[in-house]
């Protein structure tokens, strides 16, 4: 089962989240039938949003939009504070690798654009925050967003590893943040540890990626585990929700659907669930 573990250094000057999001990204790949590059880009976005949501309290919802100008198109994710996340990618059929190494290419296929975060506290006035994409690799863009927009110096590592058949083998990552009170010497020590850390792909491929990540982050420094919570890919769409969306359309459009299409078919972008509404359902909306 996917999970996120929240930790804090013994002196309270650093906190770290480590995530195993393998089943989340596997589900996203199955739902959207994504190819290699699209799978990795969508997976990284889902993991980043799980981290963002884990930083919030109450019933806050976070929408993360990677709005690049290259082949992959927009990548959209919605996560909440209860470990649920959903998402989709505009172009799921992108499959590009560096021939010599088999490395999946992401950054150039995301391109330039915006890293947009919409935080909804349920008060009717969502808060928008945006920074430019600096690499398109998503992890680096996420770290830049946290440092620039939230004024919290952060180190981020996240990735999705594929097997020989381009299916998700393992996915996850970490978020390390500096808290008030940290000294320059302590920060320098953590920076050195992060810079000498093995590649995130190597840590995720280990027998116990969660423990490998924690060891790489903290080394021999003492830390406390604050919580461990489940994560999963969950969509909250329903037939009733889409029926309400249809009800908001002008009646002449509903009449056209009824007469020309003999009903309406809607597919949820986030989970690809199909909903069918027959002529009778449209007639009720028209007369309602």
């Amino acid at each position: 089962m996917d999970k996120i573990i929240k930790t804090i250094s013994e002196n309270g000057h650093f906190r770290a989240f480590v995530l195993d999001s393998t089943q989340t990204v596997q589900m996203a790949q199955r739902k959207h039938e994504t190819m290699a590059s699209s799978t990795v880009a969508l997976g990284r976005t889902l993991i980043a949003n799980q981290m963002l949501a884990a930083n919030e309290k109450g019933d806050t919802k976070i929408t993360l939009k990677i709005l690049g100008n290259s082949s992959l198109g927009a990548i959209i994710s919605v996560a909440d504070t209860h470990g649920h996340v959903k998402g989709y990618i505009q172009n799921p059929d992108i499959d590009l690798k560096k021939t010599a190494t088999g490395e999946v290419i992401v950054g150039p296929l995301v391109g330039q654009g915006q890293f947009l975060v919409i935080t909804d506290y349920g008060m009717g006035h969502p808060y928008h925050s945006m920074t430019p994409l600096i690499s398109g690799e998503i992890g680096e863009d996420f770290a830049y967003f946290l440092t620039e927009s939230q004024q919290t110096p952060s180190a981020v590592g996240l990735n999705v590893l594929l097997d020989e058949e381009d299916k998700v083998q393992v996915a996850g990552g970490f978020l390390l943040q500096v808290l008030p009170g940290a000294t320059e010497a302590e920060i320098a020590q953590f920076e050195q540890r992060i810079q000498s850390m093995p590649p995130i792909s190597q840590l995720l491929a280990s027998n116990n990626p969660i423990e490998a990540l924690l060891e790489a982050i903290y080394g021999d420094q003492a830390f406390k585990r604050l919580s461990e919570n489940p994560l999963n890919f969950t969509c909250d769409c329903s037939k009733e929700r889409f029926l309400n969306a249809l009800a908001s359309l002008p009646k002449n459009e509903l009449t056209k659907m009824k007469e020309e299409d003999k009903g309406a078919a809607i597919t949820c972008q986030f989970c690809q669930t199909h909903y069918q509404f027959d002529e009778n359902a449209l007639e009720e909306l028209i007369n309602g």
Side-chain angles (χ1 to χ4, degrees):
M1 182 178 69
D2 286 358
K3 60 185 176 181
I4 180 170
I5 294 179
K6 299 180 183 181
T7 67
I8 191 167
S9 62
E10 194 74 47
N11 60 16
H13 294 169
F14 300 87
R15 68 179 171 194
F17 298 166
V18 291
L19 299 85
D20 181 349
S21 301
T22 304
Q23 293 179 18
T24 294
V25 183
Q26 286 174 338
M27 178 65 75
Q29 183 181 42
R30 287 196 298 271
K31 292 281 189 184
H32 297 288
E33 299 180 347
T34 47
M35 303 291 280
S37 295
S38 298
T39 297
V40 174
L42 175 58
R44 290 180 184 176
T45 303
L46 295 172
I47 297 165
N49 205 14
Q50 286 176 322
M51 293 179 184
L52 279 170
N55 243 340
E56 299 293 339
K57 297 177 180 178
D59 291 323
T60 303
K61 281 193 175 183
I62 304 287
T63 299
L64 170 57
K65 298 184 178 183
I66 307 295
L67 304 175
N69 63 355
S70 194
S71 309
L72 290 167
I75 312 170
I76 313 296
S77 170
V78 180
D80 64 25
T81 53
H82 307 292
H84 308 128
V85 69
K86 61 183 180 179
Y88 68 91
I89 187 166
Q90 190 173 356
N91 297 315
D93 300 326
I94 307 298
D95 180 10
L96 190 62
K97 305 179 188 69
K98 292 180 181 175
T99 307
T101 61
E103 180 186 349
V104 177
I105 295 174
V106 172
L109 304 179
V110 171
Q112 298 178 324
Q114 304 296 331
F115 189 101
L116 172 63
V117 175
I118 303 170
T119 306
D120 185 353
Y121 298 106
M123 308 295 288
H125 300 284
Y127 177 74
H128 292 62
S129 188
M130 184 169 60
T131 52
L133 296 171
I134 59 169
S135 72
E137 296 293 343
I138 300 173
E140 294 171 11
D141 304 303
F142 181 32
Y144 182 77
F145 169 83
L146 292 170
T147 301
E148 292 296 312
S149 179
Q150 298 190 357
Q151 303 298 306
T152 306
S154 305
V156 172
L158 50 87
N159 210 350
V160 177
L161 305 186
L162 306 180
D163 62 20
E164 293 178 356
E165 297 179 348
D166 288 341
K167 301 299 183 185
V168 175
Q169 180 179 346
V170 63
F174 73 88
L175 167 63
L176 172 65
Q177 294 187 303
V178 179
L179 300 178
T183 66
E184 292 297 327
E186 289 174 330
I187 294 172
Q189 186 179 32
F190 264 98
E191 285 178 344
Q192 185 176 12
R193 192 176 297 127
I194 294 299
Q195 288 169 2
S196 61
M197 179 184 289
I200 184 72
S201 56
Q202 183 179 325
L203 294 170
L204 290 175
S206 64
N207 290 332
N208 192 331
I210 289 284
E211 296 305 321
L213 288 166
L214 287 171
E215 184 177 347
I217 293 167
Y218 285 107
D220 57 4
Q221 185 162 349
F223 68 93
K224 295 181 285 188
R225 297 174 188 244
L226 300 177
S227 64
E228 178 178 321
N229 300 106
L231 301 170
N232 55 70
F233 188 103
T234 302
C235 188
D236 53 356
C237 70
S238 66
K239 192 163 187 175
E240 181 182 12
R241 178 169 293 186
F242 282 113
L243 189 65
N244 290 335
L246 283 173
S248 67
L249 296 176
K251 291 193 176 182
N252 64 322
E253 287 190 30
L254 294 172
T255 300
K256 187 176 180 181
M257 286 182 194
K258 175 177 175 287
E259 294 176 352
E260 296 183 6
D261 302 326
K262 308 303 180 185
I266 301 177
T267 300
C268 175
Q269 284 184 298
F270 287 101
C271 69
Q272 296 299 302
T273 300
H274 303 291
Y275 295 95
Q276 191 74 35
F277 300 91
D278 60 20
E279 294 175 82
N280 291 333
L282 296 182
E283 184 68 29
E284 287 182 16
L285 293 178
I286 293 167
N287 295 329

